[in-house]
Amino acid sequence: MGLSSAAAGEGPQLCVFDLRRGQQEGQELDKILFFHPTDCPILLQLSVIGLCEGIITFARIFSPDDDCEVIESEKHSHVFYQAEADIWMVLVVEKNKDIESTWRCGALQGILKEVHSLFTMFHGPIRTLLDRQPSAELARGHLRTFFTDYLSDFNAGKKIQLPTFRDCLKERGTVQMLTISREVALEVQSLTTVLGSCLGNVMCQSLVLFEDLLVSTTLPPDDTLNLYTYAILRLTPRALLSNATSWSYLRKGTSVHAGPTSSSSNGTASVERYRSRSRDTSPGGQNQMHHYFRPLQREKLYKGKDGFVAAGSTTSEVRGAVAWVPILWFQQAEDRMHLCVYQHKNITILLLIPASSLINGDDGIAHVKRHLLENASQNIVTLELKLSRGWGGENAYHVGGYRYLLVDPDRKVSRASPPGKVTTLSKDSLLSLNRLREEIDLEKSRAKRSDSCHDKDFEVCIRAKNNAWVIAKVTRGRELYMALEKAGTVKEHSLQTRTPK
């Protein structure tokens, strides 16, 4: 049938396109903003995006107020996300008989939402880039480098390995908080006050992380989530260690290939227009560290001798020669801010300086760094010491006998069983829980369409083939998912869902 336009055996395909562009015959290529894999033939790209555009148009006939989210065919799943008005992102994944490749469409859509949110934080909305340069070379250049670097995290050899059923007790797009005592909370408040005064009368914002957990934030929830996500990917001590030890697909002296290749000689000019050669212009045009500003490139970030995260090769003779203070755009806070990152052992400080208040440029940044070192160092050392003493390790939030995931979508917060404990679950239990989460996703979507103003409460308990119980409970918007193996030896009352502490 027509939904099998993707090439078999080529792995996942991710495309970004603008429905407002390429509406004239012969200009269809103009609507393509990004396509992965980049060496995919032009005709196949046009086929995939043409099919997606047709699905979107057809779905709007029956549901004009709701976006198309997923289309299932015999051989492929098409996961849709309208990132901005008429700008769509689509992930096409091939179905196969390998159980290990079983996925959940809600998790795949979470990838699309996450990469767009991160892109917007660094480069601004895609539509703004298109309006600034109607030829779209600017937008394509940023999308190509940013998305390619982001997808490198999913590389498994020459293929991309997307989240599977084994990740069903994880929730992308949420923050994991560290529970602290009242005594430590006072230390955090004291530190936050000092950080906020690093620029004198101008209030600076901050995030404080301990290992990979959020300790405090002064940003709104959406902005906190985006910056926290970036910190976990590239800035925490664990991420920086991974940056230094992992082999990057991009080696020094090479560049990311810009556009696709085509076996046809027709449309050569269009293909050349599709290839981006533009310089970087983030919100305000400030992020011009290199030809392209690449915040997700692993090899470029490391912790300097002064404790601040710097950019450049760790093997460079002159370390820290390139200042790394990018400008970020926070939509909820409606402000552009410089990001300055400082680390002490397991603590990571993300200090945000309003760009409009930083008049002296590099000298102003240097002043802020000196203020932090002179006035906040002791607070940071004391806080790190107290957090380390009270930290129970990676199993601190383990609940004996349960494997769970607790999500609060309104606050964008989650808590889950440690990954090491989740791996002890059998494949049958994980597959059953993954299927249950799919059903819950569908039920939530139906409830939202029928009554978007009120959350629907429900609870489901299923006994799996391996005699395990998988449980889902949604109440007042909060979601709890659990797997309980060896349930035959547990009394009936222990099967009632409860919120892990």
Side-chain angles (χ1 to χ4, degrees), residues 149-449:
D149 289 341
Y150 177 84
L151 291 174
S152 69
D153 285 1
F154 300 95
N155 284 346
K158 296 182 179 180
K159 295 183 178 180
I160 287 182
Q161 179 64 55
L162 296 174
T164 67
F165 69 95
R166 296 190 180 277
D167 302 296
C168 62
L169 284 177
K170 298 178 182 178
E171 187 68 11
R172 193 178 297 272
T174 58
V175 171
Q176 295 199 40
M177 299 286 297
L178 177 68
T179 301
I180 57 179
S181 65
R182 184 177 182 274
E183 178 187 1
V184 175
L186 293 175
E187 289 289 348
V188 172
Q189 185 178 10
S190 176
L191 173 61
T192 302
T193 301
V194 175
L195 295 175
S197 62
C198 282
L199 203 60
N201 295 327
V202 178
M203 178 63 68
C204 296
Q205 307 297 328
S206 65
L207 265 71
V208 180
L209 284 78
F210 179 78
E211 296 200 352
D212 288 349
L213 301 175
L214 181 66
V215 178
S216 73
T217 176
T218 60
L219 287 173
D222 289 346
D223 296 334
T224 293
L225 172 60
N226 293 337
L227 189 54
Y228 170 84
T229 300
Y230 178 59
I232 298 302
L233 289 176
R234 294 294 184 268
L235 300 179
T236 62
R238 185 177 302 176
L240 290 179
L241 179 62
S242 176
N243 296 348
T245 58
S246 65
W247 183 87
S248 175
Y249 70 94
L250 182 65
R251 306 306 299 171
K252 186 177 182 180
T254 65
S255 61
V256 177
H257 295 289
T261 58
S262 174
S263 58
S264 173
S265 60
N266 296 329
T268 302
S270 297
V271 174
E272 290 303 318
R273 287 196 302 270
Y274 179 77
R275 300 174 186 270
S276 172
R277 295 291 185 268
S278 59
R279 292 187 62 83
D280 173 67
T281 52
S282 59
Q286 302 291 328
N287 288 330
Q288 297 188 17
M289 184 191 305
H290 302 290
H291 185 68
Y292 289 111
F293 172 60
R294 302 181 62 173
L296 291 180
Q297 189 172 358
R298 284 189 174 275
E299 293 179 328
K300 296 299 183 182
L301 299 178
Y302 68 96
K303 178 182 176 181
K305 294 181 179 180
D306 59 357
F308 290 95
V309 172
S313 174
T314 56
T315 59
S316 174
E317 295 181 1
V318 184
R319 298 186 58 172
V322 179
W324 190 79
V325 189
I327 289 184
L328 311 185
W329 167 250
F330 293 102
Q331 290 186 326
Q332 203 168 359
E334 297 184 343
D335 201 359
R336 292 167 49 246
M337 302 185 187
H338 291 274
L339 172 63
C340 186
V341 182
Y342 176 80
Q343 286 185 355
H344 171 70
K345 294 185 177 179
N346 293 317
I347 287 231
T348 302
I349 307 291
L350 289 84
L351 185 63
L352 298 160
I353 310 158
S356 59
S357 303
L358 200 63
I359 302 175
N360 297 326
D362 292 342
D363 291 338
I365 295 293
H367 169 76
V368 170
K369 289 183 176 181
R370 285 195 302 270
H371 185 281
L372 188 151
L373 292 174
E374 293 172 1
N375 298 279
S377 292
Q378 188 57 49
N379 298 76
I380 295 173
V381 170
T382 302
L383 178 60
E384 200 281 335
L385 183 61
K386 291 186 176 181
L387 289 176
S388 297
R389 286 176 176 173
W391 174 235
E394 63 179 13
N395 293 330
Y397 300 128
H398 172 58
V399 179
Y402 294 86
R403 305 294 181 267
Y404 70 91
L405 169 65
L406 178 63
V407 183
D408 187 340
D410 293 335
R411 296 174 55 215
K412 302 184 185 300
V413 173
S414 70
R415 177 165 292 177
S417 291
K421 297 295 183 180
V422 175
T423 58
T424 64
L425 288 175
S426 67
K427 181 186 295 186
D428 287 339
S429 297
L430 290 169
L431 284 168
S432 298
L433 187 56
N434 190 70
R435 286 193 292 268
L436 179 57
R437 290 207 62 183
E438 284 186 326
E439 293 298 324
I440 296 300
D441 289 343
L442 289 173
E443 187 62 30
K444 289 191 300 181
S445 180
R446 296 189 192 101
K448 183 178 179 180
R449 287 195 298 268

Side-chain angles (χ1 to χ4, degrees), residues 16-22 29-34 83-89 116 119 123-144 273-274 276 278-279 281-283:
V16 183
F17 55 94
D18 181 5
L19 292 181
R20 299 180 187 177
R21 305 175 64 88
L29 190 63
D30 194 40
K31 71 181 61 178
I32 305 176
L33 302 179
F34 173 79
E84 301 172 26
D86 291 328
I87 295 179
W88 287 79
M89 302 171 61
H116 175 259
F119 179 88
H123 298 296
I126 299 174
R127 181 63 66 194
T128 300
L129 298 177
L130 293 173
D131 292 341
R132 185 180 301 161
Q133 190 182 66
S135 67
E137 291 182 355
L138 176 63
R140 290 191 182 110
H142 287 317
L143 287 168
R144 184 187 70 252
R273 287 196 302 270
Y274 179 77
S276 172
S278 59
R279 292 187 62 83
T281 52
S282 59

